[in-house]
Amino acid sequence: MSEASVQLQISTLPNSPGVYQYYDKNNKLLYVGKAKNLKKRVASYFTKQHDNARTRLLVKKIKTIKHIVVATETDALLLENNLIKKYQPRYNVLLKDDKSYPWICIKNERFPRVFPTRRLIKDGSEYFGPYTSMKTVHTLLDLIRGLYPLRTCNYDLAEEKIRNDKYKVCLEYHLGNCIGPCEGKQTEADYNGNIQAIRNIIKGNFKDSLNQFKTQMKQFAADLKFEDAQRVKEKIDVLENYQVKSTVVNPKINNVDVFSIVSDESYGYINFLQISFGSIIRSHTLEIKKKLQESDKELLTLAVVELRQRFNSQSKELYLPFKIETEEGIKVHIPKVGDKKKILDLSLRNAKYYRMERFKQAKIVDPDRHENRIMAQMKKDLRLSEEPRHIECFDNSNIQGSNPVAACVVFKNGKPSKKDYRKFNIKTVKGPDDFASMEEVVYRRYKRLKEEEQPLPQLIIIDGGKGQLSSALKSLEKLDLRGKIAIIGIAKRLEELFYPDDPIPLYLDKKSETLKIIQQLRNEAHRFGITFHRDKRSKQALDTVLETIPGIGEKTVLQLLKQFKSTKRIQQASFDELADVVGTSRAKKIITHFQQS
């Protein structure tokens, strides 16, 4: 499919948080922005008059819109920051400086310091974050320091220097904020135990620390130190509301390429995320048309080589959903849990969104491709010998056996063909017998199609389980059509699909397009049948109440209903009111009838 127009690209954007990128006709990046709802935010650029001349010029130049979908608005904020700093787009004014979001650093040294920073130095230190607010960082550090005394000095606390009494304790020691490792008053093991607890707090695993805070709060309360108890309670509240770091950035993941794939009968969609020192610096999704029914493994192997060459990637580490053949010296990970798995899931989510957008765009500009793909997918999912271009679905409707009717709805190329819908009054069955009713309507439907030499469907769907399916099969056998038309039954409760002579039902993915079309057929048959059944019941009710009055015909009944709206109001109407509508003679007959009854 050719490059979609801007309006078409906007119409298929997801309503999800993420980062959008605008490109000009030469595929040069113009602008990077974040959004809580990508579709609404991007559409706003093209639907309102901008006062700013710079923005008006930007909108004129936009030819391509790309985006990266993320889990939360916070992730979008952080990712926007990474991309702007990496690519310095012309129309971005903010975030272009070298100032980054804040991190919490546990320094790589003996008796590690814990402090906030906006600079990531590759010296083996641990960095946690980034955080969208410095206030969150300070609150967290205040909590940590309130619970675990830590040194703030920048002395080199080598064992030999401490032994030689090179340092003296400072004011922090006398204030109780530090235990004095510089004079050997705290062992390295004890200090490192506190650092491990701090790591857990920063990661969100602070159950032990919370318990200590609660014990401390209760002790203050018992000692009648209510102000101190309140301060500790406020810290507990902040800790309980504190969330674990964003999935978008983890500084331990450095210089990595991430690939994921989703595919259907005709195309494969491979997403590529390039990660440098924990930041996503590129996202691209490649669409590959299948030529010889290639497997996902074959498609991914081709795509990895092409994308790495296209973007000149030198990464020696890959995160993939499964093992593939790679060039020598490349390390491959198949993540199962943790941050690496979250990054792979993020890539997969972007591949799925891209696939959905292409579907939506194809449906608008290339409906034939959309139909062909749906039909090929249904043929595969339902194990059919040919594409189900013509599908018919049957449903019975009755209430306690009264007014039994059936409906047949027809879909052609995956869409309703309402002119081909048919209603059936059940003629040969007495009482509520769904199986016999199904047998009757299926026989009548296909006997007529055969007699009139009309085209038969490729697939029949029966709304019901094994019983209704068996009944429909009897009719096909009588007409010598069994085996010539595929037939399945769908049970309502678990959406089980039953096949003739197969006791084990088929379960389709709840999100699959095949199941959605089958559900649409079933629901349409139910709606059509119920409407017919209600009409029949209403007509019968009218017949029994009004048309049984001697001298009152159908036209008179319609006149009365048009004026009075219901049988009850006709019954309550006075002689004069009735006479105004149908004349004195008929009015007298109606009054007499209701008085006698």
Side-chain angles (χ1 to χ4, degrees):
M1 192 174 72
S2 61
E3 194 61 58
S5 70
V6 170
Q7 287 303 325
L8 183 57
Q9 291 177 66
I10 294 169
S11 70
T12 57
L13 284 171
N15 293 302
S16 307
V19 170
Y20 54 91
Q21 298 157 280
Y22 294 150
Y23 291 82
D24 65 11
K25 62 183 179 183
N26 300 317
N27 210 29
K28 183 180 178 183
L29 182 60
L30 299 171
Y31 185 81
V32 174
K34 66 181 180 302
K36 187 176 181 179
N37 183 314
L38 280 167
K39 189 169 191 172
K40 284 184 180 178
R41 183 71 187 97
V42 173
S44 71
Y45 277 86
F46 299 87
T47 54
K48 65 182 181 183
Q49 187 64 37
H50 297 283
D51 298 328
N52 189 314
R54 185 185 180 90
T55 307
R56 288 200 300 273
L57 188 59
L58 166 66
V59 172
K60 277 184 186 176
K61 288 186 176 183
I62 296 168
K63 295 297 177 207
T64 307
I65 302 164
K66 294 183 181 178
H67 65 272
I68 306 172
V69 175
V70 292
T72 65
E73 200 177 355
T74 302
D75 282 351
L77 190 72
L78 300 171
L79 182 52
E80 178 199 34
N81 177 55
N82 297 336
L83 295 174
I84 291 172
K85 283 179 170 50
K86 169 75 178 174
Y87 296 110
Q88 300 283 309
R90 180 178 175 183
Y91 285 87
N92 282 99
V93 178
L94 302 175
L95 301 176
K96 273 189 173 181
D97 57 18
D98 60 350
K99 186 179 176 185
S100 179
Y101 283 101
W103 303 71
I104 291 177
C105 175
I106 298 180
K107 194 70 175 169
N108 180 26
E109 60 189 357
R110 199 161 179 261
F111 297 99
R113 286 167 291 157
V114 181
F115 56 88
T117 181
R118 292 183 185 270
R119 299 271 187 276
L120 274 73
I121 303 167
K122 301 177 185 180
D123 61 354
S125 299
E126 293 177 78
Y127 291 90
F128 297 89
Y131 297 88
T132 52
S133 161
M134 196 53 137
K135 185 180 178 183
T136 306
V137 173
H138 286 310
T139 303
L140 202 52
L141 288 174
D142 285 348
L143 285 171
I144 289 166
R145 286 168 185 153
L147 189 57
Y148 302 106
L150 294 169
R151 74 172 180 124
T152 54
C153 61
N154 57 4
Y155 295 149
D156 173 16
L157 298 186
E159 191 175 355
E160 186 183 338
K161 292 179 179 179
I162 295 172
R163 230 183 4 249
N164 294 336
D165 297 330
K166 184 172 181 179
Y167 307 115
K168 295 295 179 188
V169 292
C170 62
L171 181 62
E172 290 293 306
Y173 171 77
H174 296 293
L175 291 172
N177 297 333
C178 175
I179 297 178
C182 56
E183 282 193 21
K185 296 180 185 297
Q186 185 179 19
T187 65
E188 189 177 1
D190 181 50
Y191 193 97
N192 286 341
N194 288 350
I195 292 294
Q196 184 55 47
I198 288 165
R199 280 194 193 97
N200 289 334
I201 288 176
I202 295 172
K203 288 179 180 178
N205 308 323
F206 37 73
K207 186 178 177 183
D208 292 342
S209 301
L210 267 176
N211 289 338
Q212 288 186 43
F213 272 134
K214 286 173 182 174
T215 303
Q216 192 180 3
M217 181 181 69
K218 287 174 184 174
Q219 187 59 49
F220 279 137
D223 295 342
L224 305 181
K225 297 177 180 176
F226 298 116
E227 288 183 5
D228 291 334
Q230 177 60 27
R231 275 195 291 273
V232 174
K233 183 181 183 302
E234 286 169 5
K235 291 182 178 183
I236 290 171
D237 290 342
V238 172
L239 255 188
E240 286 178 337
N241 292 326
Y242 168 66
Q243 291 186 328
V244 187
K245 67 182 187 308
S246 158
T247 60
V248 164
V249 188
N250 182 336
K252 289 182 181 177
I253 300 174
N254 182 28
N255 200 20
V256 172
D257 290 347
V258 184
F259 294 90
S260 61
I261 181 169
V262 291
S263 66
D264 52 44
E265 281 294 282
S266 309
Y267 289 84
Y269 304 87
I270 298 90
N271 178 261
F272 164 52
L273 294 180
Q274 192 172 7
I275 299 176
S276 176
F277 201 55
S279 301
I280 296 170
I281 59 168
R282 178 175 282 114
S283 174
H284 183 83
T285 304
L286 181 67
E287 179 184 58
I288 300 178
K289 183 169 174 53
K290 292 183 180 179
K291 295 175 183 174
L292 301 167
Q293 295 299 308
E294 293 93 341
S295 67
D296 281 2
K297 190 172 184 178
E298 291 170 317
L299 290 175
L300 188 60
T301 305
L302 288 169
V304 167
V305 174
E306 182 178 333
L307 288 166
R308 279 170 62 84
Q309 285 178 352
R310 185 189 298 186
F311 295 106
N312 193 27
S313 172
Q314 303 298 317
S315 301
K316 297 296 181 187
E317 196 171 356
L318 306 181
Y319 294 170
L320 302 173
F322 45 77
K323 193 82 175 171
I324 63 167
E325 293 295 322
T326 57
E327 58 187 284
E328 202 171 324
I330 299 292
K331 192 175 179 182
V332 173
H333 287 287
I334 293 93
K336 301 297 180 188
V337 293
D339 286 338
K340 293 177 182 178
K341 181 66 166 66
K342 287 177 183 175
I343 295 276
L344 187 63
D345 289 343
L346 180 63
S347 173
L348 183 63
R349 187 184 301 136
N350 277 278
K352 286 178 177 175
Y353 271 112
Y354 184 86
R355 178 173 174 255
M356 283 194 300
E357 283 158 39
R358 296 298 276 178
F359 288 171
K360 289 174 186 173
Q361 290 173 11
K363 198 171 181 179
I364 296 167
V365 300
D366 190 359
D368 289 342
R369 171 183 159 181
H370 176 72
E371 283 175 9
N372 293 339
R373 182 185 59 75
I374 292 280
M375 291 298 106
Q377 193 68 42
M378 289 191 77
K379 178 186 172 185
K380 179 186 175 186
D381 290 346
L382 299 175
R383 308 179 302 212
L384 304 175
S385 59
E386 59 182 327
E387 292 181 353
R389 295 277 172 177
H390 177 174
I391 309 172
E392 298 192 351
C393 181
F394 292 86
D395 181 38
N396 291 326
S397 292
N398 69 73
I399 295 178
Q400 297 175 340
S402 73
N403 306 107
V405 295
C408 169
V409 299
V410 179
F411 272 36
K412 290 184 176 174
N413 293 320
K415 298 188 190 81
S417 178
K418 296 199 174 184
K419 65 183 175 63
D420 296 312
Y421 286 15
R422 294 293 180 267
K423 303 169 183 173
F424 297 89
N425 286 306
I426 305 299
K427 296 176 179 177
T428 62
V429 182
K430 302 297 179 191
D433 189 340
D434 272 358
F435 300 155
S437 299
M438 187 63 72
E439 188 176 343
E440 179 191 322
V441 295
V442 171
Y443 182 81
R444 284 167 54 192
R445 170 67 173 164
Y446 297 112
K447 182 173 184 287
R448 181 161 187 169
L449 287 187
K450 280 187 76 177
E451 286 171 353
E452 295 178 358
E453 296 184 351
Q454 295 287 328
L456 296 168
Q458 284 90 35
L459 176 64
I460 299 170
I461 297 173
I462 304 299
D463 183 13
K466 293 178 183 177
Q468 283 92 337
L469 181 61
S470 299
S471 301
L473 276 169
K474 288 178 190 174
S475 296
L476 293 185
E477 279 175 354
K478 287 179 197 171
L479 296 165
D480 194 29
L481 290 175
R482 182 163 182 176
K484 295 177 184 175
I485 307 175
I487 182 168
I488 59 174
I490 177 168
K492 285 187 178 74
R493 194 168 65 88
L494 297 172
E495 306 295 42
E496 300 164 312
L497 299 179
F498 290 98
Y499 287 76
D501 306 320
D502 189 348
I504 300 170
L506 172 70
Y507 295 93
L508 291 177
D509 187 320
K510 292 288 183 271
K511 293 181 180 177
S512 80
E513 289 175 294
T514 299
L515 182 60
K516 283 178 182 172
I517 287 178
I518 292 173
Q519 288 170 331
Q520 191 183 350
L521 269 153
R522 191 263 313 281
N523 295 341
E524 184 71 352
H526 187 64
R527 178 199 65 76
F528 190 57
I530 284 288
T531 304
F532 179 39
H533 182 257
R534 284 176 183 153
D535 290 346
K536 193 176 175 186
R537 267 193 302 144
S538 300
K539 189 172 184 305
Q540 188 187 52
L542 288 174
D543 288 347
T544 53
V545 175
L546 295 174
E547 289 194 2
T548 53
I549 303 172
I552 301 298
E554 189 177 340
K555 286 185 179 178
T556 308
V557 170
L558 289 173
Q559 275 182 292
L560 289 164
L561 287 173
K562 193 173 180 182
Q563 178 66 30
F564 295 103
K565 311 298 184 192
S566 73
T567 309
K568 187 178 180 182
R569 286 184 180 174
I570 295 169
Q571 191 172 352
Q572 293 170 346
S574 67
F575 176 82
D576 290 338
E577 287 172 330
L578 291 170
D580 286 343
V581 179
V582 295
T584 54
S585 175
R586 291 193 184 95
K588 191 174 181 182
K589 288 174 183 176
I590 294 166
I591 292 289
T592 305
H593 174 81
F594 283 127
Q595 284 174 348
Q596 288 174 352
S597 60

